[in-house]
Amino acid sequence: GKQTPSFPSGHAARGAAAAAIVADGARREGALPLAAVVPLGMALAHSGAGRVHVARHWAGDAVGGWGLGVAAAALCALW
């Protein structure tokens, strides 16, 4: 199980950033309807929840990773 701190979860951050960048790019190109964002969000949730489930991260690590990934994707979208 989890014994040492590892905040934020890199797996969750990478999953969140990838899902958000793909969703934003596809939305801008008109290739992704708004309803398709839900499966991407579910994939994002799985990327961190899986690490918590196998006791490699605490829940706070996953939430921090999701926040970091979404923030990074937002900065890329603004850029």
Side-chain angles (χ1 to χ4, degrees):
K2 187 76 183 115
Q3 299 297 322
T4 60
S6 59
F7 180 82
S9 167
H11 287 87
R14 284 188 301 272
I21 289 170
V22 167
D24 183 61
R27 183 193 54 81
R28 287 178 189 232
E29 296 295 322
L32 182 70
L34 190 57
V37 173
V38 172
L40 282 173
M42 292 171 64
L44 155 69
H46 185 270
S47 68
R51 301 300 290 171
V52 174
H53 178 71
V54 297
R56 299 306 299 163
H57 282 287
W58 291 312
D61 298 342
V63 171
W66 290 328
L68 177 64
V70 169
L75 285 174
C76 288
L78 289 173
W79 179 48

